[in-house]
Amino acid sequence: MKKALITGLTGQDGSYLAEFLLAQGYQVYGMVRRSSSSSFERINHFSERIEVISGDLLDQFSLIDAIDQTQPDEIYNLASQSYVPLSWTQPSLTAEYTALGVSRLLEAIRRCKPDTRFYQASSSEVFGQPDESPQTEKTAFRPRNPYGVAKAYAHWMTVNYREKYDLYACCGITYTHESPRRGAEFVFRKITRGAVQIKLGLADELRLGNLDARRDWCHAQDVVKAMWLMLQQEQPDDYIIASGETHSVRDLVDCAFRYLGLDYQRYVTVDPAFYRPDEPVQLVGAIDKIQAGLQWQPEYSFQRLVESMVDHDLKALKQ
């Protein structure tokens, strides 16, 4: 039985990955901070099948202990401060977790179990203001916010440890991915939940920022499958994980409201307070490499993703 250690277990991606690995027959360990106030709601339905251990990306020795204790065949680092607007108000904390935390984890792997296969969750935010679209694995990094800067550091540290110490270490450059387990602070979930609230008479308005902003959106379940595939290859490599297409926030709003039989123009108000000052320019991933190398293809279309989240929010709010 293979053993896997997941950081960020209680997040959207961590919970889906744990479920996926259990289905593959893995013994799964999840690392959480002992003082964490994170909700375990996302993993409650399978928590008895995994082992939760204590560890913190801020504490080098706790990472060494976690690896010594579990002796994992694979480590998936999904933990970070991942909310972009918060990275502007807490840039130092974002750097400690999202950047330096990866350095500590890589060093712990090198010292304790160098044959472990390591996955680092990189992000399309490393491209920031790219000079080409779509972006490929060779597109230059030009991050435009503290989160993107931290992710760029973590990405290159992973590449450097792979090359200097011959570690099996990969980076998945993930574009925006969503699911019913997405936090309410993110715009996709804000829209699907807001549309359902209006449908049920619980609200009469939804305030949003730039409706013309575009994103490359895919489902978190498609993303975690790609993570796993990356660690099953003979040689480690880095891949973009994306849908390969963009949709505007307006497309998302229209799809969600129309699915509920509503005209969004009657309920949606554009509020400049919600505009992002660092709005990325046309971030869309080229997925030729991952399609050819891993035979990976997103299973969820944009419409199916939107409708699945609306259905989930409708059921939850009715209850």
Side-chain angles (χ1 to χ4, degrees):
M1 179 183 289
K2 281 187 175 182
K3 294 186 288 185
L5 173 62
I6 303 171
T7 72
L9 171 71
T10 60
Q12 169 188 251
D13 295 1
S15 64
Y16 278 120
L17 178 62
E19 277 187 297
F20 179 86
L21 294 177
L22 287 170
Q24 305 303 313
Y26 280 65
Q27 182 175 353
V28 177
Y29 299 91
M31 192 184 81
V32 298
R33 288 182 291 129
R34 187 173 297 277
S35 61
S36 175
S37 59
S38 297
S39 169
F40 285 74
E41 178 184 1
R42 294 185 180 100
I43 64 170
N44 279 340
H45 59 291
F46 61 85
S47 59
E48 74 283 352
R49 300 174 58 199
I50 61 177
E51 184 173 340
V52 176
I53 63 171
S54 178
D56 194 325
L57 291 178
L58 299 185
D59 183 356
Q60 180 81 68
F61 292 106
S62 75
L63 301 178
I64 291 172
D65 288 343
I67 294 172
D68 274 340
Q69 177 184 340
T70 60
Q71 291 294 300
D73 299 290
E74 298 170 4
I75 295 177
Y76 297 84
N77 181 41
L78 311 182
S80 71
Q81 190 303 98
S82 58
Y83 187 48
V84 172
L86 185 61
S87 74
W88 282 112
T89 58
Q90 297 184 352
S92 296
L93 184 64
T94 299
E96 284 289 349
Y97 275 110
T98 307
L100 296 179
V102 178
S103 291
R104 298 182 187 103
L105 187 52
L106 286 164
E107 189 62 15
I109 292 170
R110 183 180 76 85
R111 292 176 180 272
C112 300
K113 200 172 186 300
D115 62 337
T116 295
R117 296 191 171 199
F118 175 68
Y119 173 86
Q120 166 59 22
S122 192
S123 167
S124 61
E125 290 286 342
V126 300
F127 295 126
Q129 299 278 354
D131 54 11
E132 62 181 355
S133 186
Q135 295 82 52
T136 73
E137 289 79 3
K138 296 181 179 180
T139 299
F141 289 3
R142 297 177 62 191
R144 300 289 293 173
N145 55 64
Y147 172 73
V149 171
K151 281 292 189 181
Y153 174 95
H155 181 104
W156 286 118
M157 286 299 288
T158 302
V159 171
N160 275 266
Y161 266 71
R162 177 173 72 214
E163 295 176 350
K164 181 171 179 59
Y165 298 115
D166 199 29
L167 298 183
Y168 192 109
C170 303
C171 294
I173 305 174
T174 57
Y175 283 63
T176 310
H177 46 288
E178 311 291 341
S179 77
R181 300 180 189 175
R182 184 59 132 164
E185 69 273 21
F186 292 91
V187 69
F188 205 108
R189 187 68 188 282
K190 177 181 178 181
I191 289 169
T192 61
R193 186 175 176 84
V196 168
Q197 287 175 323
I198 290 170
K199 178 66 175 180
L200 297 178
L202 302 175
D204 54 17
E205 181 188 42
L206 177 61
R207 303 184 75 84
L208 297 170
N210 183 8
L211 298 184
D212 295 319
R214 303 187 69 87
R215 296 285 187 277
D216 183 328
W217 277 300
C218 55
H219 198 294
Q221 286 182 300
D222 286 330
V223 169
V224 300
K225 183 178 181 180
M227 296 176 185
W228 175 75
L229 284 171
M230 286 174 61
L231 296 196
Q232 311 315 306
Q233 307 308 303
E234 185 175 342
Q235 297 296 327
D237 204 352
D238 307 319
Y239 295 87
I240 280 176
I241 307 173
S243 73
E245 59 185 40
T246 65
H247 296 273
S248 68
V249 174
R250 191 184 306 276
D251 294 336
L252 166 56
V253 171
D254 181 53
C255 188
F257 276 77
R258 188 159 27 87
Y259 185 55
L260 291 167
L262 301 173
D263 178 0
Y264 81 88
Q265 296 184 69
R266 294 180 56 191
Y267 305 101
V268 172
T269 300
V270 174
D271 186 342
F274 292 108
Y275 275 61
R276 274 179 60 175
D278 57 320
E279 187 67 54
V281 176
Q282 196 63 11
L283 288 183
V284 54
I287 57 176
D288 309 69
K289 180 178 177 180
I290 195 170
Q291 287 176 315
L294 307 185
Q295 286 73 58
W296 175 88
Q297 180 72 28
E299 295 181 12
Y300 277 79
S301 67
F302 174 74
Q303 181 174 339
R304 184 184 173 198
L305 170 59
V306 175
E307 292 178 357
S308 70
M309 291 181 65
V310 170
D311 286 338
H312 177 273
D313 288 334
L314 190 61
K315 181 180 178 180
L317 287 173
K318 278 184 177 179
Q319 291 175 345

